[in-house]
């Protein structure tokens, strides 16, 4: 339950009387910072706005309504969002009647001070109030008569972002998420499956199941409580679904039931992003991670046993308070031993109100930077090794976009398609045949350039 109404309208006189939306269909533009949960919330806001007759603008210049969906997971992300918000004053001043709304985790954390800090802001909708976004639109954005509810021609989505649970019941000492997103709540299985059926029936082939700790899912199902394994099996059964991804699982819930479902469901892509944070048991304890170094290695081994082709990526934090050279070396050795295929590496950033913010932030910035750079170097080498192993293989590529024309092997001008392998590597390829977004096409991989693959369909 949310303790307060986190949704507010800027009380400054200028914004209280919402300026009318210009004639014709109003256009919205959403800039999304942060994680996949935010991407899902942005998609949900788009759907609400479309239902209300808005259409998507190609750029901010065309937009009547600008929503900035923010992330506060690290101070750097929050600063970026706030400076972006500050720069939007010009956008707002260019045309009277434009509306600016800030959404997401910064909106949640700073909801009280944002309206006075940014007088050009018209509305604030915190991460815990996403389900009331429609009410905000009603209250704030629509002119009295409201535009007609026309369907948006829109482009079919390649990936349906489907939130299955929200919030987090863990309390990692560095992490602000539990305070800005609240405790876990899980959607009933039936609602999730209905949303997936609806979205895939519109032609969307891929489903991304989202939750802060997605594999802790426990929702009401037809035979009592359904867990994440039941959910995967149920989504696998939907004919129109071609690929299933999920983000982000927690090592604590990588259990036998989950592993059995992974082994059984061939639509589930062989990629898992499994956050580790540190290889030192001492630090994992201070981080309150609920797993040890040995647990992580055990999960990695069992995942590879269940799906031998699986690609494993992770998150790592360098410079957590009290991190000694020995702690850091243990992270390095665990990255090597587990042979993870890639990682997002972060420098520790104290977040207000979290337990770790009370610890002295005692690793000097230069040391944090050195350790961060070293981790990056190691995980980049792992990624490059993994991606190089795909050269001269045939991979199924799900097309996400068609780029400007390039030349094929024989020198003909042909479209360049952009898509992803089942393990999520970005792939560019040429083909003399016509394909559309959402098609899955076998591609012969010819080379790896940086983190991208290049190939062609050889037809
Ligand atoms: N400092 C640095 N990295 C953090 N993360 C979360 N909070 C912090 C913080 N305070 C990282 C973790 C998490 C990812 C989403 O962001 O690695 O898995
Ligand atoms: Fe944050 Fe830990 Fe929850 Fe992940 S599991 S969202 S790092 S508290």
């Amino acid at each position: 339950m949310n303790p307060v109404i986190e949704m507010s309208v800027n009380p400054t006189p200028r914004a209280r009387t919402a300026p009318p939306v210009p004639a014709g269909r109003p256009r919205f533009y959403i800039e999304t910072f942060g994680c996949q949960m935010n991407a899902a919330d942005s998609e949900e806001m788009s759907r609400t706005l479309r239902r209300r007759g808005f259409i998507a603008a190609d750029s901010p210049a065309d937009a009547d309504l600008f929503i900035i969906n923010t992330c506060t997971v690290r101070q750097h992300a929050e600063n970026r969002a706030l400076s972006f918000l500050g720069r939007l004053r010009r956008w707002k001043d260019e045309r009277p009647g434009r509306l600016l709304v800030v959404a997401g985790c910064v909106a949640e954390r700073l909801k009280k001070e944002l309206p006075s800090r940014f007088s050009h802001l018209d509305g604030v909708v915190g991460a815990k109030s996403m389900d009331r976004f429609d009410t905000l639109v009603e209250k704030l954005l629509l002119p009295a008569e409201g535009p007609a509810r026309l369907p948006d021609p829109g482009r079919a989505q390649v990936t349906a972002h489907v939130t299955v649970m929200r919030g987090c019941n863990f309390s990692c000492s560095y992490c602000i998420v539990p305070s800005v997103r609240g405790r876990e709540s899980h959607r009933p299985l039936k609602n999730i499956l209905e949303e997936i059926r609806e979205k895939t029936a519109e032609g969307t082939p891929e489903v991304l199941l989202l939750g802060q700790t997605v594999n802790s899912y426990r929702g009401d199902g037809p035979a009592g409580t359904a867990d994440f394994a039941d959910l995967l099996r149920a989504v696998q059964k939907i004919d129109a679904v071609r690929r299933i991804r999920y983000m982000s699982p927690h090592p604590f819930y990588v259990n036998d039931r989950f592993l059995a479902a992974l082994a059984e469901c061939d639509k589930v892509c062989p990629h898992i992003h499994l956050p580790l944070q540190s290889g030192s048991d001492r630090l994992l304890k201070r981080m309150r991670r609920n797993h040890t170094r040995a647990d992580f290695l055990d999960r990695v081994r069992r995942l590879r046993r269940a799906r031998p082709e699986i690609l494993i990526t992770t998150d790592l934090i360098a410079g957590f308070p009290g991190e000694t050279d020995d702690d850091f070396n243990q992270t390095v050795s665990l990255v090597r031993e587990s042979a993870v295929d890639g990682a997002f590496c972060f420098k520790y950033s104290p977040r207000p109100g979290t337990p770790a913010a009370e610890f002295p932030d005692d690793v000097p910035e230069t040391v944090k930077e050195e350790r961060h750079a070293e981790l990056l170097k190691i995980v980049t080498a792992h990624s490059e090794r993994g991606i190089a192993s795909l050269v001269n293989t045939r991979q199924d590529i799900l097309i996400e976009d068609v780029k400007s024309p390039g030349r094929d092997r024989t020198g003909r001008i042909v479209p360049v398609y952009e898509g992803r392998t089942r393990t999520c590597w970005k792939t560019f390829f040429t083909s003399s045949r016509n394909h559309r977004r959402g098609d899955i096409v076998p591609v012969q991989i010819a080379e790896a350039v940086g983190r991208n693959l290049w190939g062609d369909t050889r037809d």
Side-chain angles (χ1 to χ4, degrees):
M1 206 181 79
N2 291 330
V4 280
I5 308 253
E6 298 88 355
M7 198 173 63
S8 63
V9 175
N10 195 335
T12 55
R14 185 156 83 113
R16 188 170 279 161
T17 47
V21 179
R25 308 263 308 267
R27 286 166 194 272
F28 68 93
Y29 190 87
I30 305 183
E31 184 74 39
T32 307
F33 292 90
C35 67
Q36 299 282 356
M37 293 296 293
N38 272 11
D41 287 341
S42 291
E43 211 176 271
E44 205 42 56
M45 288 190 282
S46 304
R47 286 172 85 82
T48 302
L49 290 167
R50 289 194 168 107
R51 271 202 311 274
R52 293 282 189 175
F54 281 73
I55 54 177
D58 289 333
S59 72
D62 303 332
D64 305 294
L65 162 64
F66 197 121
I67 298 177
I68 147 170
N69 194 1
T70 57
C71 169
T72 183
V73 74
R74 288 169 294 278
Q75 188 62 44
H76 176 67
E78 183 171 306
N79 294 348
R80 268 182 69 206
L82 293 177
S83 80
F84 193 85
L85 193 53
R87 290 198 304 276
L88 283 173
R89 183 180 292 279
R90 266 190 62 191
W91 175 87
K92 169 91 184 168
D93 288 345
E94 266 165 20
R95 177 141 55 80
R98 275 180 159 170
L99 295 166
L100 178 61
V101 169
V102 59
C105 295
V106 176
E108 182 65 47
R109 197 176 92 73
L110 303 178
K111 56 189 172 257
K112 296 222 171 62
E113 61 182 86
L114 283 174
S116 52
R117 259 176 87 177
F118 298 95
S119 59
H120 57 301
L121 195 55
D122 297 289
V124 178
V125 53
K128 287 183 192 161
S129 315
M130 275 302 155
D131 50 348
R132 280 174 286 155
F133 176 68
D134 199 31
T135 321
L136 174 80
V137 175
E138 196 141 276
K139 241 169 63 181
L140 177 69
L141 304 174
L142 288 181
E145 62 280 18
R149 294 185 177 211
L150 298 175
D152 186 20
R155 294 192 303 169
Q157 296 270 350
V158 172
T159 306
H161 292 82
V162 179
T163 302
V164 304
M165 52 88 64
R166 291 180 179 277
C168 179
N169 283 0
F170 287 94
S171 47
C172 301
S173 59
Y174 52 82
C175 183
I176 199 163
V177 166
S179 91
V180 288
R181 287 198 173 263
R183 290 183 65 78
E184 285 180 11
S185 66
H186 303 257
R187 288 177 67 193
L189 185 67
K190 188 164 162 273
N191 290 10
I192 297 171
L193 297 179
E194 266 166 22
E195 181 180 340
I196 295 176
R197 278 195 202 98
E198 192 185 304
K199 287 180 166 171
T200 51
E202 290 165 7
T204 297
E206 182 174 77
V207 175
L208 177 58
L209 304 171
L210 288 168
Q212 221 71 53
T213 55
V214 71
N215 55 338
S216 73
Y217 175 75
R218 288 182 73 75
D220 295 336
T225 305
D227 67 5
F228 193 62
D230 296 320
L231 174 62
L232 289 179
R233 289 195 177 100
V235 182
Q236 162 88 16
K237 283 199 193 116
I238 300 176
D239 281 343
V241 172
R242 308 279 310 275
R243 282 187 179 183
I244 305 168
R245 297 187 187 283
Y246 52 95
M247 197 74 160
S248 287
H250 191 288
F252 186 82
Y253 290 101
V254 177
N255 51 33
D256 288 342
R257 286 183 51 81
F258 170 61
L259 291 161
L262 279 193
E264 199 180 299
C265 300
D266 62 350
K267 291 181 183 175
V268 177
C269 288
H271 171 219
I272 187 167
H273 184 78
L274 192 64
L276 163 66
Q277 319 300 359
S278 168
S280 149
D281 279 338
R282 198 182 70 87
L283 280 201
L284 286 169
K285 207 166 200 166
R286 264 164 80 80
M287 288 177 167
R288 301 197 195 155
R289 280 292 295 171
N290 281 290
H291 65 80
T292 61
R293 174 189 176 93
D295 292 335
F296 186 80
L297 274 173
D298 168 68
R299 305 298 185 266
V300 164
R301 283 196 197 105
R302 285 157 72 201
L303 282 161
R304 292 203 170 113
R305 210 177 302 140
R307 291 291 287 270
E309 77 281 34
I310 202 165
L311 185 117
I312 302 178
T313 54
T314 192
D315 286 342
L316 301 168
I317 298 179
F320 185 75
E323 185 184 66
T324 61
D325 282 343
D326 182 53
D327 292 318
F328 177 69
N329 290 337
Q330 293 197 39
T331 302
V332 170
S333 82
L334 185 50
V335 167
R336 293 215 161 100
E337 197 176 338
S338 59
V340 287
D341 301 278
F344 293 124
C345 306
F346 305 105
K347 283 188 292 175
Y348 170 70
S349 147
R351 307 305 296 123
T354 58
E358 306 297 315
F359 305 157
D361 187 12
D362 54 0
V363 179
E365 191 55 29
T366 48
V367 177
K368 272 188 198 167
E369 263 159 27
E370 275 165 29
R371 290 179 181 169
H372 179 252
E374 186 171 342
L375 288 177
L376 260 185
K377 207 169 103 195
I378 298 167
V379 298
T380 306
H382 285 206
S383 305
E384 284 172 357
R385 198 174 57 203
I387 197 168
S389 72
L390 298 182
V391 174
N392 293 328
T393 66
R394 215 160 166 77
Q395 299 290 323
D396 282 341
I397 306 299
L398 169 58
I399 299 178
E400 293 179 340
D401 214 349
V402 185
K403 297 285 182 198
S404 54
R407 284 183 198 284
D408 71 2
R409 282 175 303 131
T410 62
R412 274 178 312 170
I413 305 278
V414 288
V416 175
Y417 296 95
E418 179 184 334
R420 287 187 189 272
T421 62
R422 276 163 64 76
T423 42
C424 224
W425 291 113
K426 182 166 273 192
T427 305
F428 295 93
F429 68 95
T430 53
S431 172
S432 51
R433 285 190 295 138
N434 279 337
H435 306 286
R436 300 174 50 182
R437 295 172 85 231
D439 288 349
I440 296 177
V441 185
V443 171
Q444 182 69 22
I445 304 297
E447 59 178 324
V449 183
R451 292 170 155 263
N452 300 329
L453 293 167
W454 283 81
D456 61 78
T457 50
R458 296 278 158 109
D459 41 28

